[in-house]
């Protein structure tokens, strides 16, 4: 089982690393730009990247899940018109039955982004390298925006 996880996760980490190199940096905006370029120029690889995010959301490793949640928020912001059905299904599952309260909370915030694609004020969220800081800021912004509705 450990070998299978490694087989699944290593290509994802290599892909994420290569995305930031393609964009010429490591900022979140560069990652978004890389995802858009990948989707436009290599749709098969883009689908594989999305499938890898789904695999990470199913991981037994809490850190992998939390990081993947942050990345799929950015994915959703970059592609508001895409359905991402499998990702959305996993996020909903995690919000209801994630293995820790932190994962359930972060998945609930992520779910709001997936359900409300017209949310303003999300394009310049902090770097996803620190999921705690990322979700803290996301929660503040969602609270400000959704309370006004």
């Amino acid at each position: 089982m450990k070998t299978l996880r490694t087989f699944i996760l290593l290509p994802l980490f290599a892909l994420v690393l290569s995305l930031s190199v393609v964009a010429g940096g490591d900022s979140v905006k560069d990652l978004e730009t890389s995802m858009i370029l990948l989707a436009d120029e290599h749709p098969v690889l883009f689908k594989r990247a999305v499938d890898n995010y789904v695999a990470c959301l199913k991981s037994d490793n809490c850190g992998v899940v939390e990081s993947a949640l942050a990345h799929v928020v950015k994915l959703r912001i970059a592609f508001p018109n895409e359905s991402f059905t499998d990702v959305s299904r996993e996020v909903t599952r995690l919000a209801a039955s994630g293995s820790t309260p932190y994962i359930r909370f972060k998945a609930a915030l992520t779910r709001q982004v997936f359900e409300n694609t017209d949310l303003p004020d999300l394009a310049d969220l902090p770097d996803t390298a620190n999921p705690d800081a990322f979700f803290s800021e996301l929660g503040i912004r969602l609270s400000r925006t959704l309370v006004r509705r």
Side-chain angles (χ1 to χ4, degrees):
M1 187 64 154
K2 187 174 183 176
T3 305
L4 178 60
R5 278 192 216 134
T6 303
F7 178 75
I8 291 171
L9 295 177
L10 282 179
L12 173 68
F13 294 130
L15 180 62
V16 170
L17 178 61
S18 66
L19 287 176
S20 65
V21 170
V22 166
D26 59 357
S27 73
V28 173
K29 196 64 180 164
D30 289 339
L31 183 59
E32 288 178 32
T33 302
S34 297
M35 287 189 290
I36 291 169
L37 286 172
L38 185 65
D40 288 344
E41 296 177 16
H42 304 286
V44 172
L45 290 177
F46 180 72
K47 169 134 178 42
R48 189 175 304 154
V50 172
D51 291 345
N52 283 332
Y53 282 131
V54 172
C56 287
L57 291 171
K58 293 178 179 181
S59 175
D60 292 335
N61 183 314
C62 294
V64 170
V65 174
E66 290 179 26
S67 179
L69 284 167
H71 281 87
V72 298
V73 166
K74 291 308 220 174
L75 181 72
R76 184 58 165 169
I77 291 167
F79 298 95
N81 297 322
E82 293 289 329
S83 65
F84 298 118
T85 306
D86 293 340
V87 174
S88 182
R89 184 179 310 117
E90 276 307 305
V91 167
T92 300
R93 182 189 66 76
L94 288 168
S97 61
S99 62
T100 69
Y102 296 114
I103 288 175
R104 291 190 296 273
F105 176 70
K106 291 172 182 179
L109 292 175
T110 302
R111 190 168 163 216
Q112 288 302 312
V113 173
F114 272 76
E115 291 178 356
N116 300 285
T117 56
D118 61 337
L119 292 171
D121 193 32
L122 296 182
D124 63 340
L125 282 166
D127 191 345
T128 56
N130 181 343
D132 290 334
F134 177 84
F135 281 103
S136 177
E137 182 64 24
L138 178 61
I140 290 167
R141 292 185 191 192
L142 285 173
S143 178
R144 274 195 314 241
T145 304
L146 295 175
V147 167
R148 285 188 227 146
R149 289 187 173 192

